[in-house]
């Protein structure tokens, strides 16, 4: 026994078939790969279908070995009844339990396998047919354990299952690797995802799980949306009533706009409670809340509205009304007039552009099949399979980011393992400067030379990284030699690379040795000079014992300096004396023209006498 339909929600599909009068929609089975590494005759990669329950390890892999039980082969009973356990001992490979299809729900098999200690369950089909999606049972078959299934599940073909069983019967250890890394596309730094849901809160556990998911995931969804990491769009499934049944009681109670947009009766009883058309109108209102909020650049308010509406306006309390919805809209500061305009007239005999767009969106495009299951999460145009819960869904979203572009929430300990913590992920590392090429990612790690304080390191990331460009000497001295002695510091770091400074020799990276200029006779070549080597330099002294400095000697330089100063002062004095003498002679010559000087004789004077 087990669900063979692609949709899995029987009542929903029966309703769709009735209204549409068509065969099955194009349903896409989401798959991951199973790689067998041993034995040799089974080596290869095989497709398997991801179950729509449990927790698939999106973005990750699992390694283990396959076990096939000698009793309880269909896993419809507890393995405790057969004294069988698959709990892995410390250091041992985890067990992937292979079971046969039939006799009970897929979820029952998964729960029994998990309870016995299996890390994953592989269900072998009992017929030669294309892979299908294992889904959860309807309300009548649901049990308390359903929400507690955490191991991943996969359906494999009958032929592949038979080969696995044969190898195990022969005593071979079958090693496999379950790989979900390519189960979701991850092309860029932003994830686009859709949530196909329903405002109906009277459809049993399915509706309850939707409401609980929105409440618990709201915070993470809003943070990711506000920071631009994701682009979220809610969607709602509706159907149309065939023209021959438009005037029937069923269509009138479950459809709006003259049979164009319909939903099943919430209680499956046309004589009581709310009708399907009430659900359609509330679904339409929720779409319009999102559209108006998005126009005001606050699309995340949809999460607040849906959460508050579920709390304040439940069907059980007869509050599933426009008045209650308007109260929630007002409390969130949204424009209810714009929302009413978006909703339009449900009684009009014309198309509603919003709901028409929703119906068009149900049809699969590209790699995404038609949406037939409620609820359905679509991530990067691929339908999500697994438990609708905050942890698994967030993990799936993180798998949709291009590696190294994931937000911080995707690198938290409860989401993934930091491979850089063990042996630095096998990447290059400068422990002294606390710089590493290991970059943790959701899928694992990459060895990539870093950029530190604006300085780019270049290299292969595994064995070598070197700072480049201007500013490189500011980061761990550019990886070059540097040493300080007696208050003097020398460095080999230059913009061009590591090169020992003048007075040293070596590779410039690990070592620079002092050059003994005195021993190599490259300094102090005069007869009277005495050479003394110092670290990175040398000193020259005269034969009289006076110390000199590096190169020509400091005392000699001082002598030259003071000699130049004295010569300058003397020259200035001579210059002043000559100028003064010249000025004196000029002044005396000028004065001699107007008054007698001591060395001249008497000069006759003439005067005019005026008589009165």
């Amino acid at each position: 026994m087990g669900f063979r339909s692609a949709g899995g929600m029987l009542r929903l599909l029966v309703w769709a078939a009735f209204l549409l009068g068509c065969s099955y929609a194009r349903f896409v089975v989401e798959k991951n790969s199973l790689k067998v590494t041993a034995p040799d005759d089974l080596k290869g990669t095989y497709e398997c279908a991801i179950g729509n329950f449990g927790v698939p390890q999106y973005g990750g892999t699992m390694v283990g070995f396959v076990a096939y039980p000698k009793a309880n082969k269909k896993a419809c009973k507890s393995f405790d009844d057969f004294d069988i356990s698959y709990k892995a001992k410390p250091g041992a490979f985890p067990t992937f339990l292979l079971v046969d299809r039939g006799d009970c729900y897929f979820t029952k098999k998964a729960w029994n396998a998990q309870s016995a200690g299996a890390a994953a369950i592989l269900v072998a089909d009992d017929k030669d047919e294309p892979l299908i999606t294992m889904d959860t049972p309807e309300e009548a078959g649901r049990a308390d354990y359903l929400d507690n299934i955490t191991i991943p599940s996969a359906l494999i073909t009958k032929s592949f299952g038979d080969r696995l069983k044969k190898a195990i019967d022969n005593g071979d250890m079958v090693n496999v690797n379950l790989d979900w890394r390519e189960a979701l596309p991850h092309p860029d730094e932003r994830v686009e995802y859709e949530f196909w849901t329903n405002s109906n809160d009277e459809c049993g556990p399915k509706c309850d799980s939707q409401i609980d998911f929105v409440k618990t995931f709201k915070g993470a969804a809003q943070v990711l949306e506000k920071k631009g990491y994701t682009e979220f769009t809610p969607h709602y499934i509706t159907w149309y009533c065939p023209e021959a049944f438009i005037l029937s009681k069923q269509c009138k109670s479950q459809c709006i706009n003259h049979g164009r947009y319909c939903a099943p009766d919430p209680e499956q009883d046309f004589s009581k409670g709310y009708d399907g058309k009430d659900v359609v109108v509330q679904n339409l209102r929720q779409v319009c809340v999102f559209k108006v909020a998005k126009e005001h650049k606050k699309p995340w308010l949809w999460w607040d509205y849906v959460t508050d509406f579920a709390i304040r306006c439940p069907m059980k309390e007869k509050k599933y009304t426009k008045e209650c919805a308007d109260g929630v809209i007002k409390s969130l500061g949204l424009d209810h007039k714009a929302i009413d305009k978006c909703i339009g007239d449900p009684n009009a005999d014309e198309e509603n552009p919003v709901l028409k767009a929703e119906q068009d969106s149900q049809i699969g495009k590209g790699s995404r099949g038609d949406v037939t299951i409620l609820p359905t999460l679509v991530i990067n145009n691929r339908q999500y399979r697994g438990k609708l819960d905050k942890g698994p869904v967030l993990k799936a979203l993180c798998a949709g980011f291009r590696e190294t572009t994931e937000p911080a929430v995707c690198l938290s300990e409860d989401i993934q393992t930091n491979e850089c913590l063990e042996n630095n992920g096998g990447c290059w590392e400068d422990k002294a400067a606390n710089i590493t090429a290991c970059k943790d990612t959701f899928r694992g790690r990459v060895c990539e030379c870093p950029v530190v304080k604006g300085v780019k390191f270049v290299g292969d990331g595994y064995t070598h990284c070197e700072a480049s460009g201007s500013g490189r000497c500011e980061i761990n001295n550019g990886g070059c030699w540097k040493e300080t002695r007696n208050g003097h510091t020398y460095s080999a770091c230059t913009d061009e690379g590591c090169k020992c400074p003048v007075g040293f020799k070596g590779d410039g990276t690990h070592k620079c040795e002092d050059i003994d200029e005195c021993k190599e006779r490259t300094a102090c070549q005069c007869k009277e000079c005495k050479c003394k080597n110092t670290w990175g330099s040398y000193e020259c002294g005269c034969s009289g014992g006076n110390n000199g400095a590096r190169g020509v000697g400091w005392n000699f330089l001082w002598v030259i300096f003071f000699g130049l100063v004295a010569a300058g002062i003397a020259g200035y004095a001579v210059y002043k004396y000559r100028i003064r003498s010249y000025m004196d002679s000029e002044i005396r010559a000028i004065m001699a023209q107007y008054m007698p000087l001591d060395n001249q004789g008497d000069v006759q004077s003439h005067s005019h006498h005026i008589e009165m």
Side-chain angles (χ1 to χ4, degrees):
M1 180 181 177
F3 284 123
R4 193 172 299 277
S5 67
M9 191 172 180
L10 189 58
R11 173 167 52 82
L12 208 57
L13 287 179
V14 169
W15 170 256
F18 165 71
L19 290 180
L20 296 175
C22 63
S23 58
Y24 285 106
R26 189 179 72 89
F27 183 85
V28 173
V29 176
E30 300 297 345
K31 302 172 184 177
N32 64 306
S33 67
L34 187 155
K35 184 177 182 181
V36 179
T37 56
D40 288 340
D41 60 341
L42 269 178
K43 277 186 177 179
T45 301
Y46 304 83
E47 279 191 339
C48 50
I50 304 172
N52 203 30
F53 51 84
V55 183
Q57 302 298 311
Y58 282 105
T61 61
M62 288 181 69
V63 177
F65 75 97
V66 180
Y68 182 58
K70 294 183 178 180
N72 198 24
K73 296 179 184 295
K74 293 184 178 179
C76 290
K77 296 180 181 179
S78 172
F79 283 94
D80 289 340
D81 297 342
F82 302 88
D83 197 26
I84 298 176
S85 174
Y86 297 102
K87 291 181 173 64
K89 296 179 180 179
F93 274 118
T95 301
F96 298 164
L97 188 61
L98 173 65
V99 302
D100 295 327
R101 181 179 178 181
D103 293 353
C104 61
Y105 291 113
F106 292 124
T107 52
K108 182 67 174 178
K109 299 174 188 291
W111 176 248
N112 287 334
Q114 178 178 308
S115 300
I121 181 172
L122 306 177
V123 180
D125 205 344
D126 56 359
K127 292 184 179 181
D128 288 318
E129 62 180 354
L131 291 171
I132 66 168
T133 295
M134 299 182 293
D135 197 15
T136 56
E138 291 301 312
E139 285 74 6
R142 294 177 73 91
D144 294 338
Y145 62 75
L146 188 59
D147 291 334
N148 296 321
I149 298 175
T150 57
I151 64 171
S153 61
L155 182 76
I156 61 176
T157 62
K158 182 180 183 300
S159 59
F160 179 44
D162 290 342
R163 294 181 65 189
L164 290 176
K165 295 172 195 175
K166 183 179 179 181
I168 294 170
D169 287 342
N170 291 337
D172 291 328
M173 183 177 181
V174 181
N175 294 329
V176 299
N177 185 339
L178 282 172
D179 192 341
W180 293 267
R181 286 177 298 181
E182 300 304 321
L184 285 176
H186 44 95
D188 52 37
E189 67 280 359
R190 190 181 70 176
V191 170
E192 293 84 26
Y193 70 109
E194 307 167 1
F195 182 42
W196 289 82
T197 183
N198 196 346
S199 63
N200 178 8
D201 60 13
E202 283 291 302
C203 63
K206 286 275 188 180
C207 288
D208 295 339
S209 68
Q210 293 179 70
I211 294 170
D212 290 341
F213 169 69
V214 171
K215 288 179 181 177
T216 57
F217 195 67
K218 180 180 79 168
Q222 290 180 324
V223 170
L224 290 171
E225 196 77 8
K226 289 177 181 178
K227 293 187 176 181
Y229 290 117
T230 59
E231 183 176 304
F232 166 74
T233 306
H235 285 295
Y236 297 80
I237 291 180
T238 61
W239 297 272
Y240 66 86
C241 182
E243 189 173 350
F245 303 101
I246 288 177
L247 299 179
S248 67
K249 178 182 178 181
Q250 291 85 350
C251 280
K252 285 184 176 180
S253 66
Q254 299 180 84
C255 308
I256 66 172
N257 292 92
H258 286 242
R260 288 179 173 85
Y261 314 105
C262 313
D265 187 275
E267 306 89 359
Q268 292 297 285
D269 188 338
F270 297 121
S271 63
K272 67 176 184 178
Y274 290 96
D275 295 323
K277 64 182 181 182
D278 298 316
V279 175
V280 178
V281 172
Q282 290 298 348
N283 287 350
L284 175 56
R285 181 171 282 106
Q286 293 191 2
V287 177
C288 287
V289 164
F290 174 77
K291 289 177 66 67
V292 171
K294 187 175 182 180
E295 289 171 0
H296 289 80
K297 303 189 184 303
K298 294 181 179 180
W300 50 84
L301 287 179
W302 178 90
W303 294 90
D304 291 314
Y305 174 79
V306 173
T307 302
D308 292 354
F309 181 80
I311 295 171
R312 295 171 57 179
C313 311
M315 288 182 173
K316 292 183 179 68
E317 299 178 13
K318 309 299 180 185
K319 295 180 179 179
Y320 191 79
T321 63
K322 180 183 187 305
E323 291 72 25
C324 187
D326 285 344
V328 177
I329 291 170
K330 184 178 180 181
S331 68
L332 296 175
L334 292 167
D335 186 350
H336 72 88
K337 290 184 179 179
I339 293 171
D340 287 343
K341 182 179 179 181
C342 170
I343 292 171
D345 182 6
N347 298 315
D349 186 8
E350 61 184 15
E351 286 188 346
N352 181 293
V354 176
L355 289 179
K356 179 64 168 61
E358 291 296 291
Q359 284 185 343
D360 291 342
S361 296
Q362 286 176 229
I363 302 171
K365 296 177 179 65
S367 60
R368 196 211 83 187
D370 295 347
V371 177
T372 57
I373 299 175
L374 276 181
T376 290
L377 196 70
V378 179
I379 302 175
N380 285 350
N381 208 37
R382 195 73 62 81
Q383 292 191 28
Y384 164 84
R385 295 287 180 256
K387 186 178 182 182
L388 191 66
D389 197 21
K390 177 183 177 181
V393 170
L394 184 57
K395 199 164 189 176
L397 286 180
C398 291
F401 290 99
R402 188 180 69 233
E403 203 162 19
T404 73
T405 68
E406 308 94 337
V409 67
C410 293
L411 304 179
S412 59
E413 292 181 4
D414 56 340
I415 295 294
Q416 59 94 50
T417 301
N418 188 346
E419 284 79 4
C420 292
L421 297 180
E422 185 174 347
N423 195 33
N424 196 49
C427 305
W428 172 87
E429 180 182 21
D430 187 334
K431 292 183 178 180
N434 193 28
I435 300 173
T436 175
C438 188
K439 188 170 184 179
D440 183 36
T441 69
F442 178 75
R443 285 180 169 75
R445 66 93 177 99
V446 294
C447 294
E448 186 178 88
C449 291
V451 176
V452 182
K453 297 180 181 178
V455 178
K456 181 174 177 58
F457 284 71
V458 295
D460 62 11
Y462 293 91
T463 61
H464 174 69
C465 285
E466 182 178 305
S468 64
S470 60
R472 61 186 301 272
C473 297
E474 300 298 322
I475 307 295
N476 192 33
N477 200 51
C480 304
W481 172 86
K482 183 180 181 181
E483 191 174 341
T484 300
R485 290 187 188 179
N486 303 322
H488 294 286
T489 300
Y490 288 97
S491 169
C493 186
T494 68
D495 287 345
E496 290 76 30
C498 298
K499 183 179 179 181
C500 290
V502 176
F504 292 89
K505 61 182 178 180
D507 61 12
T509 303
H510 303 99
K511 192 174 183 181
C512 284
E513 294 180 342
D514 173 57
I515 297 174
D516 190 338
E517 290 87 354
C518 301
K519 186 176 180 180
E520 295 185 4
R521 298 183 178 277
T522 58
C524 303
Q525 295 301 304
C526 61
K527 238 182 197 183
E528 295 80 11
C529 291
K530 289 186 177 180
C531 185
K532 179 183 178 183
N533 186 57
T534 62
W535 184 63
S537 185
Y538 60 90
E539 293 179 354
C540 284
C542 297
S543 58
N546 294 327
N547 290 332
R550 173 179 174 141
V552 295
W554 282 108
N555 287 342
F556 182 66
L557 291 175
W558 281 113
V559 169
I560 293 176
F561 174 74
F562 284 119
L564 291 174
V565 171
I569 293 173
Y572 181 73
V574 171
Y575 169 75
K576 291 288 288 182
Y577 174 76
R578 292 183 64 185
I579 288 295
R580 186 178 181 83
S581 298
Y582 174 76
M583 290 297 294
D584 285 348
S585 63
E586 287 295 317
I587 292 170
R588 289 173 64 86
I590 292 170
M591 292 297 293
Q593 296 179 20
Y594 294 96
M595 60 182 62
L597 300 179
D598 291 341
N599 58 354
Q600 292 180 340
D602 291 337
V603 180
Q604 186 176 357
S605 62
H606 301 276
S607 63
H608 296 280
H609 177 71
I610 302 174
E611 293 182 356
M612 301 291 296

